[in-house]
Amino acid sequence: MRRYTIADVFTDVPLQGNQVAVFTDATGLSAETMQRAARELNLSETVFVFRSAEPNAHLRVRIFTPTTELPFAGHPILGTAFVVGRAMGSNVVRLETGLGVVAVTLERTDGGAPVYGEMEQFVPEVVPFEAVDELLVALGVDEYEGLPIEGYPNGPVHVYVEFASEDAVATLRPDIGAIERLGEYGINCFAGSGSRWKTRMFGPALGVAEDPATGSAAGPLAVHLVRYGRVPFGTEIEIVQGVEILRRSVLRARAEGSESAGVERVFVGGSAVVVARGEYLLD
């Protein structure tokens, strides 16, 4: 039997945010078993925790969607830090991922329970996205006037499509099958201004038709916005996601740097709440 914890991430309200299951001791489990367990649970992601040989890390994690393993994902890292952080008693939890070590800084109550966490993500590169016309058709967009549609690898490759208003994002009815045929992308549709932004993320080829909260997309969105001058470097933006699927989430992100140096550091933060614990027969 393997013990697991379920946390709702990027929310402080149970039954909101994005769920993640965390198996706190996955020693000896095969990749096949972990993938089958993630498919059984059918959450956006499931995390399996191991000891780490990396001297700068406390623990090593492997992250699975129902259909594939990801080298990194945001809400699983934040949720795992909340789950293991209280027992560790440390204000910083360093988790080894497939992209490297991610540090999560935790704010705690007087009783020691984490109430907020902030991770320093990797600074993503910018990659071209070739299937712009096909994507716009899948989204039902006839004329596009937003920022350039580009990709940012950060675990999955996240692609960003700007809309004129939050209502336009809310009323989207995309062709999920057509988006799936584009490949393993997270398609992020966003709108907003200043420090307030709204997003929806569609990733059917990743096993998630629509994601309630995408931490790995929040950092690149901040990067995208500062690159094109929509927000100043160092501005913390608030991102609301998941409303349309009744899992409201709030993510905070900022990209630090300067016009001369570009983006130098990326941070993403939010709350999480533990909602369930149990055991699974995996051995």
Side-chain angles (χ1 to χ4, degrees), residues 4-9 18-22 41 43-47 63-64 75-80 83 247 272 275-276:
Y4 69 94
T5 299
I6 294 179
D8 289 340
V9 186
N18 200 352
Q19 300 162 291
V20 65
V22 181
L41 287 162
L43 305 177
S44 296
E45 280 97 6
T46 298
V47 178
I63 303 167
F64 290 81
H75 97 272
I77 293 300
L78 185 61
T80 299
V83 169
R247 303 285 308 191
V275 296

Short mmCIF file of all heavy atoms in Angstrom, two decimals, residues 4-9 18-22 41 43-47 63-64 75-80 83 247 272 275-276:
data_model
loop_
_atom_site.label_atom_id
_atom_site.label_comp_id
_atom_site.label_asym_id
_atom_site.label_seq_id
_atom_site.Cartn_x
_atom_site.Cartn_y
_atom_site.Cartn_z
N TYR A 4 -0.97 8.42 -0.10
CA TYR A 4 -1.00 9.60 -0.96
C TYR A 4 -1.82 10.70 -0.29
O TYR A 4 -2.66 10.45 0.58
CB TYR A 4 -1.58 9.29 -2.35
CG TYR A 4 -3.05 8.96 -2.36
CD1 TYR A 4 -4.01 9.95 -2.59
CD2 TYR A 4 -3.49 7.67 -2.12
CE1 TYR A 4 -5.36 9.66 -2.59
CE2 TYR A 4 -4.84 7.36 -2.12
CZ TYR A 4 -5.77 8.36 -2.36
OH TYR A 4 -7.10 8.06 -2.35
N THR A 5 -1.58 11.92 -0.72
CA THR A 5 -2.31 13.10 -0.26
C THR A 5 -2.81 13.85 -1.48
O THR A 5 -2.09 13.95 -2.48
CB THR A 5 -1.40 14.02 0.58
OG1 THR A 5 -0.94 13.29 1.73
CG2 THR A 5 -2.13 15.27 1.02
N ILE A 6 -4.02 14.36 -1.42
CA ILE A 6 -4.55 15.20 -2.49
C ILE A 6 -4.66 16.63 -1.99
O ILE A 6 -5.22 16.88 -0.92
CB ILE A 6 -5.92 14.70 -2.99
CG1 ILE A 6 -5.76 13.32 -3.66
CG2 ILE A 6 -6.54 15.70 -3.97
CD1 ILE A 6 -7.05 12.73 -4.17
N ALA A 7 -4.09 17.53 -2.75
CA ALA A 7 -4.17 18.96 -2.43
C ALA A 7 -4.83 19.70 -3.57
O ALA A 7 -4.65 19.35 -4.75
CB ALA A 7 -2.77 19.52 -2.18
N ASP A 8 -5.62 20.71 -3.23
CA ASP A 8 -6.13 21.66 -4.21
C ASP A 8 -5.16 22.84 -4.24
O ASP A 8 -4.91 23.47 -3.19
CB ASP A 8 -7.53 22.13 -3.83
CG ASP A 8 -8.57 21.03 -4.01
OD1 ASP A 8 -8.30 20.08 -4.76
OD2 ASP A 8 -9.65 21.13 -3.40
N VAL A 9 -4.63 23.13 -5.40
CA VAL A 9 -3.50 24.06 -5.54
C VAL A 9 -3.94 25.32 -6.28
O VAL A 9 -4.78 25.28 -7.17
CB VAL A 9 -2.33 23.38 -6.28
CG1 VAL A 9 -1.10 24.29 -6.31
CG2 VAL A 9 -1.98 22.06 -5.60
N ASN A 18 -6.59 23.52 -8.62
CA ASN A 18 -6.22 22.35 -9.42
C ASN A 18 -5.75 21.24 -8.50
O ASN A 18 -4.86 21.43 -7.67
CB ASN A 18 -5.11 22.72 -10.41
CG ASN A 18 -5.02 21.74 -11.57
OD1 ASN A 18 -5.68 20.70 -11.57
ND2 ASN A 18 -4.19 22.06 -12.54
N GLN A 19 -6.34 20.08 -8.65
CA GLN A 19 -6.00 18.95 -7.78
C GLN A 19 -4.66 18.32 -8.18
O GLN A 19 -4.32 18.25 -9.35
CB GLN A 19 -7.08 17.87 -7.89
CG GLN A 19 -8.47 18.30 -7.49
CD GLN A 19 -9.50 17.34 -8.05
OE1 GLN A 19 -9.72 17.26 -9.25
NE2 GLN A 19 -10.13 16.58 -7.17
N VAL A 20 -3.94 17.84 -7.18
CA VAL A 20 -2.76 17.02 -7.42
C VAL A 20 -2.71 15.94 -6.35
O VAL A 20 -3.01 16.19 -5.18
CB VAL A 20 -1.46 17.86 -7.41
CG1 VAL A 20 -1.17 18.47 -6.04
CG2 VAL A 20 -0.27 17.02 -7.88
N ALA A 21 -2.37 14.74 -6.76
CA ALA A 21 -2.13 13.64 -5.82
C ALA A 21 -0.63 13.49 -5.64
O ALA A 21 0.12 13.50 -6.62
CB ALA A 21 -2.74 12.34 -6.35
N VAL A 22 -0.20 13.36 -4.40
CA VAL A 22 1.23 13.24 -4.09
C VAL A 22 1.46 11.94 -3.33
O VAL A 22 0.97 11.77 -2.20
CB VAL A 22 1.71 14.44 -3.24
CG1 VAL A 22 3.21 14.32 -2.95
CG2 VAL A 22 1.40 15.75 -3.95
N LEU A 41 -6.14 7.68 -11.22
CA LEU A 41 -6.61 8.84 -10.47
C LEU A 41 -7.25 9.88 -11.39
O LEU A 41 -8.16 10.59 -10.99
CB LEU A 41 -5.45 9.45 -9.69
CG LEU A 41 -5.02 8.63 -8.47
CD1 LEU A 41 -3.62 9.04 -8.03
CD2 LEU A 41 -6.00 8.81 -7.34
N LEU A 43 -6.36 12.79 -12.46
CA LEU A 43 -6.22 14.22 -12.16
C LEU A 43 -5.30 14.85 -13.20
O LEU A 43 -4.68 14.14 -14.00
CB LEU A 43 -5.63 14.40 -10.76
CG LEU A 43 -6.38 13.71 -9.61
CD1 LEU A 43 -5.65 13.92 -8.30
CD2 LEU A 43 -7.81 14.22 -9.52
N SER A 44 -5.21 16.17 -13.19
CA SER A 44 -4.30 16.82 -14.14
C SER A 44 -2.89 16.25 -14.02
O SER A 44 -2.24 15.95 -15.02
CB SER A 44 -4.28 18.34 -13.90
OG SER A 44 -5.55 18.90 -14.14
N GLU A 45 -2.41 16.13 -12.78
CA GLU A 45 -1.10 15.51 -12.54
C GLU A 45 -1.09 14.73 -11.24
O GLU A 45 -1.84 15.06 -10.31
CB GLU A 45 0.02 16.55 -12.50
CG GLU A 45 0.52 17.02 -13.84
CD GLU A 45 -0.11 18.32 -14.28
OE1 GLU A 45 -0.85 18.91 -13.49
OE2 GLU A 45 0.14 18.74 -15.43
N THR A 46 -0.23 13.73 -11.21
CA THR A 46 0.06 12.95 -10.01
C THR A 46 1.57 12.95 -9.82
O THR A 46 2.32 12.78 -10.78
CB THR A 46 -0.46 11.51 -10.15
OG1 THR A 46 -1.88 11.54 -10.32
CG2 THR A 46 -0.13 10.69 -8.92
N VAL A 47 2.01 13.15 -8.58
CA VAL A 47 3.43 13.26 -8.27
C VAL A 47 3.89 12.08 -7.44
O VAL A 47 3.19 11.65 -6.51
CB VAL A 47 3.71 14.57 -7.49
CG1 VAL A 47 5.19 14.67 -7.12
CG2 VAL A 47 3.29 15.78 -8.31
N ILE A 63 6.54 13.48 -12.34
CA ILE A 63 5.22 14.07 -12.53
C ILE A 63 4.56 13.42 -13.74
O ILE A 63 5.13 13.41 -14.84
CB ILE A 63 5.33 15.58 -12.74
CG1 ILE A 63 6.05 16.25 -11.56
CG2 ILE A 63 3.96 16.21 -12.95
CD1 ILE A 63 6.48 17.69 -11.84
N PHE A 64 3.33 12.91 -13.55
CA PHE A 64 2.60 12.25 -14.62
C PHE A 64 1.22 12.87 -14.79
O PHE A 64 0.49 13.09 -13.81
CB PHE A 64 2.42 10.76 -14.31
CG PHE A 64 3.69 9.96 -14.38
CD1 PHE A 64 4.59 9.96 -13.32
CD2 PHE A 64 3.99 9.20 -15.50
CE1 PHE A 64 5.76 9.22 -13.37
CE2 PHE A 64 5.16 8.46 -15.57
CZ PHE A 64 6.06 8.47 -14.50
N HIS A 75 1.78 23.43 -10.78
CA HIS A 75 0.94 23.16 -9.61
C HIS A 75 1.35 21.88 -8.89
O HIS A 75 1.23 21.79 -7.67
CB HIS A 75 -0.54 23.20 -9.98
CG HIS A 75 -1.20 21.89 -10.25
ND1 HIS A 75 -1.21 21.30 -11.50
CD2 HIS A 75 -1.88 21.04 -9.44
CE1 HIS A 75 -1.86 20.16 -11.44
NE2 HIS A 75 -2.28 19.98 -10.21
N PRO A 76 1.89 20.84 -9.56
CA PRO A 76 2.40 19.69 -8.81
C PRO A 76 3.58 20.02 -7.91
O PRO A 76 3.70 19.48 -6.81
CB PRO A 76 2.80 18.70 -9.91
CG PRO A 76 1.95 19.07 -11.08
CD PRO A 76 1.86 20.56 -11.01
N ILE A 77 4.45 20.92 -8.37
CA ILE A 77 5.60 21.30 -7.54
C ILE A 77 5.13 22.08 -6.31
O ILE A 77 5.55 21.82 -5.17
CB ILE A 77 6.61 22.12 -8.36
CG1 ILE A 77 7.24 21.24 -9.44
CG2 ILE A 77 7.69 22.72 -7.45
CD1 ILE A 77 7.99 20.04 -8.90
N LEU A 78 4.24 23.04 -6.52
CA LEU A 78 3.73 23.81 -5.38
C LEU A 78 2.96 22.91 -4.43
O LEU A 78 3.15 22.97 -3.20
CB LEU A 78 2.84 24.95 -5.87
CG LEU A 78 2.33 25.91 -4.80
CD1 LEU A 78 3.47 26.60 -4.09
CD2 LEU A 78 1.37 26.94 -5.41
N GLY A 79 2.09 22.05 -4.95
CA GLY A 79 1.32 21.15 -4.10
C GLY A 79 2.21 20.19 -3.31
O GLY A 79 1.98 19.95 -2.12
N THR A 80 3.24 19.67 -3.97
CA THR A 80 4.16 18.76 -3.27
C THR A 80 4.89 19.49 -2.15
O THR A 80 5.08 18.94 -1.05
CB THR A 80 5.16 18.16 -4.27
OG1 THR A 80 4.46 17.43 -5.27
CG2 THR A 80 6.14 17.23 -3.57
N VAL A 83 2.65 19.66 0.76
CA VAL A 83 2.44 18.35 1.39
C VAL A 83 3.65 17.94 2.23
O VAL A 83 3.49 17.48 3.37
CB VAL A 83 2.12 17.30 0.32
CG1 VAL A 83 2.16 15.89 0.92
CG2 VAL A 83 0.75 17.57 -0.29
N ARG A 247 -13.57 25.50 -11.18
CA ARG A 247 -12.40 25.27 -10.32
C ARG A 247 -11.57 26.57 -10.29
O ARG A 247 -10.42 26.60 -10.70
CB ARG A 247 -11.53 24.12 -10.85
CG ARG A 247 -12.21 22.79 -11.02
CD ARG A 247 -12.45 22.06 -9.74
NE ARG A 247 -11.29 21.91 -8.90
CZ ARG A 247 -11.24 21.10 -7.83
NH1 ARG A 247 -12.32 20.39 -7.50
NH2 ARG A 247 -10.17 21.02 -7.09
N ALA A 272 -2.41 26.65 -1.35
CA ALA A 272 -2.86 25.27 -1.55
C ALA A 272 -3.50 24.79 -0.26
O ALA A 272 -3.19 25.30 0.83
CB ALA A 272 -1.72 24.34 -1.96
N VAL A 275 -6.91 18.27 0.93
CA VAL A 275 -8.32 17.92 0.99
C VAL A 275 -8.57 16.43 1.22
O VAL A 275 -9.70 16.04 1.54
CB VAL A 275 -9.07 18.37 -0.28
CG1 VAL A 275 -9.06 19.89 -0.40
CG2 VAL A 275 -8.46 17.75 -1.53
N ALA A 276 -7.55 15.58 1.05
CA ALA A 276 -7.80 14.14 1.22
C ALA A 276 -6.48 13.42 1.45
O ALA A 276 -5.41 13.86 0.99
CB ALA A 276 -8.49 13.55 0.00
#
